[in-house]
Amino acid sequence: MERLPVFGSLSNPMPRPRPGHHYIDLTRAHLLHGDRDASPTASQQAHRITSQQTRPHPMVRDTTAVLVSPPRRFSSDPASYAGWLRLNH
């Protein structure tokens, strides 16, 4: 029977990709929450933990593209847009 590799230790139970992915998810969560200031900080933390995983990750690339673009605003009010979407509000 083949033994699987053991990651982490008692002092650091998670392997490096897991905390790195946590900060990748946190980057996107900050952005979706509207916190454009906290999002780059979390992304930089992911880069410090595991740069090889961070650079090619599609979520990192998409989130960074949104962060460097100017914020978008609706030209009309949200209620009329919701009506156009046929949402019950």
Side-chain angles (χ1 to χ4, degrees), residues 47-71:
H47 170 72
R48 276 192 290 276
I49 292 171
T50 176
S51 60
Q52 289 180 341
Q53 178 189 11
T54 303
R55 182 180 297 214
H57 200 287
M59 191 183 308
V60 172
R61 300 176 77 77
D62 291 345
T63 304
T64 303
V66 171
L67 285 171
V68 298
S69 68

Side-chain angles (χ1 to χ4, degrees), residues 22-32 39-40 42-43 46 63 67:
H22 166 76
Y23 284 103
I24 291 171
D25 291 340
L26 190 60
T27 300
R28 182 142 173 102
H30 283 305
L31 183 63
L32 292 174
S39 192
S43 185
T63 304
L67 285 171

